[in-house]
Amino acid sequence: QVQLVESGGGLVQAGGSLRLSCAASGSISSIYAMRWYRQAPGKQRELVAAITGGGITNYKDSVKGRFTISRDNAKNTVYLQMNSLKPEDTAVYYCNVDGFVAGSRSQFYSWGQGTQVTVSS
């Protein structure tokens, strides 16, 4: 139906930068929101950033001023630019997208496969 493919994770030193991408494919007529979550070992999955279909953004307090979420509507792709990375940012990052399926009024809520971000000290 709707598939999300993530890329951009990797290993970076503290203070470095990384950009995550999440491309949605399939029959999409409209998107409610695009989000980035992360989950570190032994910790609860947490919302990092979100952007609505109208372009309104929200961020977890600890990443404000360091992370930026953006989208390319033509490509149905959401990005997470991560600057000034800290070891505490180490986690598996997951994107998710919800919206309507083209040709119907069916909704979808899809997750990416996850991408590992490791920040060394």
Side-chain angles (χ1 to χ4, degrees):
Q1 195 174 48
V2 176
Q3 181 182 0
L4 272 49
V5 179
E6 299 182 32
S7 62
L11 175 65
V12 66
Q13 292 185 340
S17 297
L18 219 53
R19 189 178 78 153
L20 307 182
S21 299
C22 175
S25 63
S27 299
I28 300 170
S29 63
S30 63
I31 290 174
Y32 298 150
M34 309 177 95
R35 310 170 185 89
W36 287 99
Y37 287 79
R38 69 186 182 190
Q39 187 166 26
K43 294 186 177 180
Q44 187 175 351
R45 186 173 298 188
E46 61 184 6
L47 179 65
V48 177
I51 184 166
T52 69
I56 305 300
T57 59
N58 283 291
Y59 298 93
K60 178 178 172 63
D61 285 343
S62 63
V63 309
K64 288 180 179 177
R66 300 190 297 121
F67 291 10
T68 303
I69 188 170
S70 62
R71 71 191 191 281
D72 184 335
N73 290 336
K75 298 180 179 179
N76 284 330
T77 299
V78 61
Y79 305 94
L80 186 67
Q81 178 67 46
M82 303 184 293
N83 298 325
S84 301
L85 282 162
K86 304 175 180 179
E88 304 91 270
D89 296 318
T90 296
V92 177
Y93 284 70
Y94 301 89
C95 67
N96 81 346
V97 181
D98 65 332
F100 280 110
V101 177
S104 73
R105 298 305 291 174
S106 297
Q107 295 177 258
F108 70 90
Y109 188 89
S110 298
W111 288 90
Q113 80 279 10
T115 184
Q116 177 71 48
V117 171
T118 302
V119 184
S120 65
S121 59

